[in-house]
Amino acid sequence: QMDLALWAIDHDVSAAELGRDLGMGEVQAARVFDDIRAKRRAAGYLHAAAETIEPVGHRQTDRTIET
């Protein structure tokens, strides 16, 4: 059911249609959409690019790992 709800929200399916497909009311389906949106907002920072103080480039080191 969650996969269908995620697909529905990503494809602009209405809460009424989702509710009908999942056997729940439109209000309950709208709450599912609200919950998904809230969780996406809360986790948004996890998808953001890293912020650095200075530009980071590749550097070579002379370090050798001894085994």
Side-chain angles (χ1 to χ4, degrees):
Q1 290 181 336
M2 183 56 77
D3 288 341
L4 184 56
L6 290 167
W7 184 90
I9 200 169
D10 288 341
H11 291 87
D12 297 321
V13 175
S14 70
E17 188 174 346
L18 176 65
R20 192 172 46 253
D21 291 343
L22 295 181
M24 63 176 71
E26 180 178 354
V27 172
Q28 189 176 2
R31 287 184 187 141
V32 170
F33 282 167
D34 291 342
D35 188 48
I36 291 169
R37 288 186 189 106
K39 288 178 179 173
R40 286 181 173 177
R41 276 192 307 274
Y45 74 96
L46 296 172
H47 302 281
E51 294 184 24
T52 59
I53 296 171
E54 297 176 5
V56 177
H58 295 287
R59 67 176 198 179
Q60 293 181 334
T61 62
D62 294 333
R63 296 182 205 173
T64 305
I65 299 175
E66 296 181 27
T67 56

